[in-house]
Amino acid sequence: MHGFLDRVRNGNGLRVVAVATAAVRDAANRDRLLGPLRRHAGVDVQVLSPAEEARLGALAALRTLPVETGLLADLGGSSLQLTRVRRGTIVSTASLPLGAVGTTRRFLRHDPPAPEELRRLRQEARESLATRMPAARPGETLVGLGGTARALARLHLRLRGLARVTRHGLRLRQSEVTAVRERLEVLPLPAVERLAGLKRERADIIVAGTVVIEELMRLGNYLDLVVCEHGVRDGVLLRETFRRRRRP
């Protein structure tokens, strides 16, 4: 960590802004991680609340995609942040314990996952989302943020043999998300790791993340998912940039 910070600061005394999301927020021993960073590296990490995490991801999406009304879904390792937007303004946020890492650990014990494990995961996702997912209205957009959404975009393009410079703004139909999930869930982990377009460190959690996104689309009656390649860190950068510009 010290070496990394030295390279970032490069002797210029730059201000370091550090934030932590659900994995640290929910950790029982988070002070053991954050305390030394504060004492020895001079970095005071801001642990984002669920609402702050959702709003920062939404800020990045709203600044970079033509989204006016809809739902922004940021699926991370520990949580799913849902942000509802009306006419470009955030009107509500929600945080659900449906992260790709957490759901993999809780439900998927076999390789490849057993049908009963997938059924229980799908049921958990449905029950958790049921009270937070009013059906989409005409013209509403579902935007996907986070590693699972980005991985789905890469896999879809590679599996279809399509060339695309950027995945930002790519629109995936519900049937296309299902097709990727059906391809993934029957493969053993070594075969998933070899798939072109998928980062190796995401191979063991991609099935669970895809199931959650699929259920999100089904329950909300969203026919398409718009992929956003930006996220919380981009939202932090935007927040800090415009906050400092407003100061006298």
Side-chain angles (χ1 to χ4, degrees):
M1 176 60 73
H2 289 290
F4 170 75
L5 290 171
D6 288 342
R7 290 194 299 275
V8 170
R9 287 167 169 157
N10 196 26
N12 295 320
L14 296 177
R15 186 172 67 101
V16 175
V17 178
V19 300
T21 55
V24 173
R25 181 172 63 241
D26 299 334
N29 61 344
R30 73 182 193 183
D31 289 339
R32 293 181 61 186
L33 169 66
L34 303 183
L37 282 173
R38 185 183 306 110
R39 292 191 300 271
H40 305 308
V43 175
D44 195 3
V45 178
Q46 177 192 1
V47 180
L48 299 174
S49 70
E52 289 170 331
E53 182 178 349
R55 288 177 181 276
L56 285 170
L59 176 60
L62 292 172
R63 289 274 184 173
T64 59
L65 289 171
V67 178
E68 284 294 322
T69 300
L71 183 70
L72 311 181
D74 188 351
L75 180 61
S78 296
S79 66
L80 170 65
Q81 311 297 328
L82 298 176
T83 307
R84 191 161 291 281
V85 177
R86 293 281 181 269
R87 291 189 285 275
T89 300
I90 296 170
V91 296
S92 66
T93 64
S95 180
L96 301 175
L98 292 174
V101 174
T103 51
T104 298
R105 290 175 176 172
R106 288 163 57 198
F107 295 99
L108 307 186
R109 306 295 177 85
H110 292 82
D111 180 29
E116 179 61 20
E117 293 173 341
L118 291 166
R119 188 196 66 76
R120 288 197 299 268
L121 167 57
R122 196 174 292 282
Q123 182 65 30
E124 174 70 14
R126 288 174 183 171
E127 292 177 358
S128 297
L129 290 165
T131 59
R132 305 294 183 97
M133 283 297 300
R137 300 174 183 174
E140 284 196 349
T141 302
L142 175 64
V143 178
L145 300 87
T148 297
R150 295 193 299 270
L152 278 172
R154 288 193 296 269
L155 285 167
H156 168 73
L157 292 173
R158 293 295 182 92
L159 292 173
R160 293 294 184 91
L162 302 174
R164 185 184 172 101
V165 175
T166 177
R167 293 164 295 275
H168 188 62
L170 176 68
R171 189 176 292 270
L172 294 174
R173 295 191 298 270
Q174 188 180 126
S175 60
E176 292 170 335
V177 173
T178 297
V180 173
R181 188 263 304 161
E182 289 176 342
R183 172 73 181 274
L184 292 171
E185 69 181 11
V186 298
L187 296 176
L189 183 57
V192 177
E193 291 174 339
R194 291 193 295 270
L195 287 175
L198 183 64
K199 294 181 178 179
R200 186 182 181 90
E201 63 269 20
R202 188 162 295 279
D204 60 335
I205 62 173
I206 185 62
V207 171
T210 302
V211 168
V212 171
I213 287 182
E214 192 178 17
E215 288 304 314
L216 181 66
M217 297 180 75
R218 286 177 173 175
L219 283 171
N221 196 29
Y222 289 99
L223 301 180
D224 300 288
L225 175 75
V226 177
V227 177
C228 179
E229 291 211 304
H230 303 301
V232 169
R233 62 182 178 183
D234 303 281
V236 171
L237 179 61
L238 287 165
R239 181 192 68 183
E240 295 299 311
T241 298
F242 289 99
R243 174 186 291 173
R244 293 177 71 80
R245 283 184 179 178
R246 288 195 296 267
R247 293 174 182 171

